[in-house]
Amino acid sequence: MAANYWASTQRLHWQFTREELSEIRQSLEENDRHFIQQFSMPDRRHLHHWFTQELAKFVKKLGIRQQAIATAQIYLRRFYLKVEIRRTNPILVMTTALYLACKMEECPQHIRVIVSEARNLWPDFIVSDISKVGECEFFLISEMNCQLIVHQPYRTLSQLQNTLKLSKEEVEAASNIINDHYETDVPFLFPPHVVAVTAIFLVVGLNLVQSGLRTANSANSATAAIPNANNIVLESSPSSVAEGKKQYLVKWLAEGGVDIKAMMECTQELISLYECLEQYDRNKVKEQIVRFVKARGLEK
């Protein structure tokens, strides 16, 4: 992996503003207006939450590392920023993204094993012909312009564990928040280190080790935490924060030159996700996907 994120293809070609993302997606919709009018799709966050759930089932027997799963999620998001989803078989694309991610993250899986497991889970969407995954892999690589190296927030989290004196439980909780951010546009909007520091801030600054930000999808409690978050980060007096670790975190943030505005925006994106997921209906998302895949014969 390239050591310098700032000179990477991820930074140069896959970081956008919100306006740029909107323009890209609007352009896709204009080119495929007929499909869009014919087949409705769920909220994008619901769609990627469904992908997350399906990937979790997929990797259960294969023992694939979280790093590879995260890379597969990034590949899915990048691919569907270039290709309208209704033109594809999302199950095949997801299967292929995981296969490719495993190779890139140096935990390769044999293509026959990947196809076999995929067919066990989704027999109506995956054929036994392994060449389909091979063709889809070429399609993925082509649409991503061979830009396959992904810098993940997990590395920053690991590097800061000792610096910020994070416990094992805090690291695990922060990792869970990082896992969730792949269901949002955050990977396109902010550098990985901002995501990692935001996750640490939410866990340590807001005492979310036990409850977690998602806490039964309680968006109200998460939203209520935002004013406190601003106080913790922006004020350095002892009265504004708890003792010990919180104070050390505030001091480190102040001295480290971390983009506080970006952290707050990242937090808001996560809160928006959890609010959105309160309305998540797994069966409805699946039905919408099945409808256009079957109608267009994309499962063959």
Side-chain angles (χ1 to χ4, degrees), residues 39 85-86 88-91 124-125 286-300:
F39 305 107
I85 191 171
R86 297 166 183 85
T88 70
N89 174 351
I91 300 295
D124 294 335
F125 297 93
K286 182 179 179 180
E287 287 170 5
Q288 289 174 303
I289 292 174
V290 169
R291 183 167 174 261
F292 75 78
V293 171
K294 292 290 186 180
R296 304 195 60 229
L298 297 171
E299 80 280 13
K300 300 176 182 177

Side-chain angles (χ1 to χ4, degrees), residues 16 25 30 60 125 137 168 170 228 237 272:
F16 306 97
R25 286 166 176 159
E30 290 175 354
K60 194 171 184 180
F125 297 93
E137 181 184 18
K168 180 180 178 181
E170 287 168 338
N228 297 328
S237 61
S272 179

Side-chain angles (χ1 to χ4, degrees), residues 220-265:
N220 290 333
S221 61
T223 304
I226 283 296
N228 297 328
N230 281 299
N231 291 335
I232 290 171
V233 174
L234 299 178
E235 298 180 17
S236 58
S237 61
S239 60
S240 66
V241 294
E243 296 182 2
K245 193 172 291 186
K246 287 184 182 179
Q247 293 187 27
Y248 187 80
L249 175 61
V250 170
K251 180 181 178 182
W252 182 86
L253 287 171
E255 295 176 351
V258 181
D259 189 339
I260 303 301
K261 182 180 178 181
M263 286 178 61
M264 292 299 97
E265 291 180 8

Side-chain angles (χ1 to χ4, degrees), residues 163-180:
T163 302
L164 298 178
K165 302 177 176 63
L166 302 177
S167 67
K168 180 180 178 181
E169 291 75 18
E170 287 168 338
V171 171
E172 183 177 352
S175 295
N176 289 336
I177 293 175
I178 291 173
N179 295 346
D180 288 343

Side-chain angles (χ1 to χ4, degrees), residues 23-268:
E23 289 175 5
I24 292 169
R25 286 166 176 159
Q26 185 176 354
S27 177
L28 270 183
E29 291 178 359
E30 290 175 354
N31 293 335
D32 292 288
R33 190 168 298 279
H34 173 69
F35 292 146
I36 290 170
Q37 292 174 345
Q38 189 175 3
F39 305 107
S40 63
M41 287 296 293
D43 184 289
R44 188 172 291 105
R45 290 162 295 186
H46 287 183
L47 176 64
H48 284 279
H49 187 62
W50 185 82
F51 279 137
T52 298
Q53 291 181 321
E54 296 303 301
L55 278 170
K57 291 194 300 183
F58 194 7
V59 303
K60 194 171 184 180
K61 292 183 180 179
L62 301 177
I64 294 172
R65 296 189 285 119
Q66 176 58 38
Q67 182 93 0
I69 299 169
T71 296
Q73 290 176 289
I74 291 293
Y75 288 171
L76 277 170
R77 297 197 70 89
R78 290 182 179 182
F79 180 75
Y80 284 127
L81 203 59
K82 294 290 194 74
V83 179
E84 165 54 43
I85 191 171
R86 297 166 183 85
R87 289 185 172 274
T88 70
N89 174 351
I91 300 295
L92 176 60
V93 174
M94 178 178 64
T95 299
T96 307
L98 182 64
Y99 171 65
L100 178 59
C102 286
K103 290 200 287 187
M104 290 302 299
E105 296 297 341
E106 299 181 351
C107 54
Q109 298 285 325
H110 197 287
I111 190 170
R112 293 189 184 279
V113 174
I114 290 288
V115 171
S116 175
E117 186 61 25
R119 272 190 58 77
N120 288 337
L121 290 171
W122 312 291
D124 294 335
F125 297 93
I126 300 291
V127 298
S128 57
D129 184 0
I130 62 174
S131 67
K132 295 293 184 181
V133 171
E135 292 170 4
C136 190
E137 181 184 18
F138 179 80
F139 191 14
L140 273 169
I141 294 172
S142 176
E143 290 299 331
M144 292 190 292
N145 299 316
C146 300
Q147 294 159 356
L148 304 179
I149 294 176
V150 177
H151 292 256
Q152 306 281 11
Y154 303 110
R155 173 178 289 187
T156 301
L157 176 60
S158 178
Q159 291 172 339
L160 292 177
Q161 181 174 1
N162 292 331
T163 302
L164 298 178
K165 302 177 176 63
L166 302 177
S167 67
K168 180 180 178 181
E169 291 75 18
E170 287 168 338
V171 171
E172 183 177 352
S175 295
N176 289 336
I177 293 175
I178 291 173
N179 295 346
D180 288 343
H181 99 283
Y182 294 106
E183 299 175 20
T184 72
D185 284 335
V186 167
F188 288 140
L189 298 172
F190 306 109
H193 75 274
V194 169
V195 178
V197 174
T198 299
I200 294 170
F201 157 71
L202 290 170
V203 170
V204 176
L206 303 181
N207 292 318
L208 298 178
V209 176
Q210 298 299 325
S211 60
L213 189 61
R214 196 187 288 243
T215 310
N217 289 340
S218 179
N220 290 333
S221 61
T223 304
I226 283 296
N228 297 328
N230 281 299
N231 291 335
I232 290 171
V233 174
L234 299 178
E235 298 180 17
S236 58
S237 61
S239 60
S240 66
V241 294
E243 296 182 2
K245 193 172 291 186
K246 287 184 182 179
Q247 293 187 27
Y248 187 80
L249 175 61
V250 170
K251 180 181 178 182
W252 182 86
L253 287 171
E255 295 176 351
V258 181
D259 189 339
I260 303 301
K261 182 180 178 181
M263 286 178 61
M264 292 299 97
E265 291 180 8
C266 186
T267 302
Q268 291 284 9

